[in-house]
Amino acid sequence: MAKTVIDLDEEALALAAEALGTKTKKDTVNAALAEIGARVRRERALARLLALDEEGAFDKGREPGFKEEVRGSWGTSASDT
């Protein structure tokens, strides 16, 4: 981990600590960075899914009877759910 000296908005830090359930400034900053990183990864994954959908990757799943076809191939039936 890198050690960095920065000025922090104490009010924003306190709110972040409350929301994240952290006790120290270091833990709060690290948790906030992790949360933002996770959000960016989710946004990128969603963008990839949307692009796949636009390309028609999920069209088969929208066809009538698809769920029954897939469940049947896995050895389950619609009555099992």
Side-chain angles (χ1 to χ4, degrees):
M1 250 189 227
K3 191 166 197 155
T4 305
V5 177
I6 58 172
D7 294 326
L8 297 172
D9 178 330
E10 294 290 334
E11 186 177 335
L13 186 67
L15 286 172
E18 182 181 335
L20 296 165
T22 53
K23 302 281 186 220
T24 67
K25 291 178 182 182
K26 177 182 173 181
D27 288 346
T28 302
V29 170
N30 285 328
L33 292 172
E35 285 286 325
I36 294 300
R39 185 174 93 185
V40 168
R41 286 190 294 278
R42 287 190 304 271
E43 289 171 350
R44 289 176 181 169
L46 178 58
R48 288 192 301 271
L49 285 172
L50 290 171
L52 285 170
D53 186 46
E54 288 174 6
E55 295 168 6
F58 306 113
D59 290 352
K60 176 77 174 163
R62 294 186 180 105
E63 293 177 5
F66 176 76
K67 288 182 183 177
E68 292 76 16
E69 179 184 329
V70 170
R71 286 186 181 128
S73 68
W74 285 18
T76 61
S77 66
S79 63
D80 291 342
T81 58

